[in-house]
Amino acid sequence: SKHVLSIGGAFKFSTYVTTPYVQVFVDNFIEVGFCVQSRALAHAHLTPKNRAEIDRIVKQIRPYHGILLLEDVWPSPDANPSVTLLLKHCEPDRSILDMSTASGIPLLQVFLIVRHLLLWARAVVIYPLCNTNVYSCSTLPKPLGRYVSLFTQQFGPSFHLAEALAQFDPPNTLGDYLNSRQPLADQQNKAKVIVALLRHQLIMQLHRFCYIVPPFSDARMPRSGHHCPDSLK
């Protein structure tokens, strides 16, 4: 076991120059992992945050939020069974409450797993995908050359990234993009495109906020049919 660990450790140290993760398997079963948090966030093209900032974010998460895995990860055989079970039910169109209900894992424990995924830069918090969500092209300019090859590998040579991004400039709803009149297979493929675009932060969701504020005046408004006083005009 020590021999395997030393070889794996040396190999991972050489790759650590470009990646923030160290993952070594002892006897091809027990995983020993290490993560440099700041570098992991930068590697995922996320704004670097310290542990205290991430803890503040976790406290603001609500059961109606969802999580989006930044890559298709799967835990090692000796991982916590709750993590493995939750990942089976982790879908971008499900809320944290839905995942808790479907998996049978208590909601508090789900939040702890979500915190772990955020600390390791394995996931981001999103609103679950639904047809009414409005998305727009990301305002942060990014070189598309590298992404073109990535999307071509995933969706085939006939896929055009610029054409997909043009669907969200101007902003567009998810329902309009999926287009329920198209075959189901095409809709499912477009849903995968949305997930990939969100993973690489090439699109972002737009939100509409409504604020209810008390009136700034305590003057009594006239009833219907009555003359409006000059003081209120």
Side-chain angles (χ1 to χ4, degrees):
S1 299
K2 292 182 179 179
H3 181 66
V4 174
L5 182 59
S6 63
I7 294 177
F11 172 76
K12 289 300 179 181
F13 179 78
S14 63
T15 59
Y16 171 73
V17 177
T18 56
T19 62
Y21 305 106
V22 174
Q23 291 175 303
V24 180
F25 286 90
V26 180
D27 293 335
N28 294 323
F29 185 80
I30 300 176
E31 181 181 8
V32 180
F34 178 76
C35 168
V36 179
Q37 182 182 327
S38 58
R39 294 192 61 184
L41 293 170
H43 181 71
H45 303 287
L46 301 175
T47 303
K49 296 179 176 64
N50 56 39
R51 185 179 296 267
E53 291 175 324
I54 291 181
D55 284 337
R56 283 196 295 269
I57 293 175
V58 172
K59 291 180 180 179
Q60 296 175 355
I61 298 176
R62 296 295 180 263
Y64 53 76
H65 286 126
I67 59 173
L68 175 67
L69 297 176
L70 295 179
E71 54 187 20
D72 296 326
V73 296
W74 198 252
S76 60
D78 68 320
N80 189 317
S82 296
V83 177
T84 304
L85 180 59
L86 181 67
L87 291 179
K88 290 181 179 179
H89 299 277
C90 183
E91 299 291 342
D93 59 346
R94 276 184 164 177
S95 67
I96 293 177
L97 180 60
D98 290 338
M99 289 185 282
S100 173
T101 303
S103 63
I105 302 175
L107 188 60
L108 178 59
Q109 189 173 357
V110 173
F111 277 116
L112 293 176
I113 297 175
V114 170
R115 177 182 180 273
H116 169 75
L117 294 173
L118 293 178
L119 285 173
W120 280 66
R122 298 295 193 183
V124 292
V125 179
I126 63 170
Y127 283 90
L129 301 186
C130 66
N131 287 336
T132 56
N133 286 4
V134 179
Y135 295 98
S136 173
C137 289
S138 177
T139 56
L140 181 64
K142 293 187 175 184
L144 296 182
R146 182 173 66 90
Y147 296 105
V148 169
S149 59
L150 289 175
F151 277 77
T152 300
Q153 293 175 7
Q154 183 174 357
F155 299 104
S158 61
F159 178 83
H160 298 286
L161 179 58
E163 182 178 341
L165 292 175
Q167 299 293 322
F168 301 98
D169 187 16
N172 196 10
T173 64
L174 179 60
D176 290 341
Y177 174 70
L178 296 180
N179 192 355
S180 59
R181 292 172 294 182
Q182 291 188 347
L184 181 60
D186 292 344
Q187 296 183 50
Q188 293 174 341
N189 187 64
K190 283 187 172 182
K192 294 179 181 178
V193 171
I194 288 291
V195 172
L197 292 174
L198 287 172
R199 279 180 171 178
H200 296 288
Q201 304 176 58
L202 295 176
I203 61 173
M204 61 181 181
Q205 184 179 356
L206 301 183
H207 302 275
R208 177 181 295 175
F209 297 93
C210 298
Y211 296 92
I212 301 177
V213 296
F216 60 88
S217 173
D218 58 356
R220 296 180 60 183
M221 298 298 293
R223 290 179 295 176
S224 177
H226 287 67
H227 176 69
C228 181
D230 293 337
S231 60
L232 297 180
K233 291 183 179 179

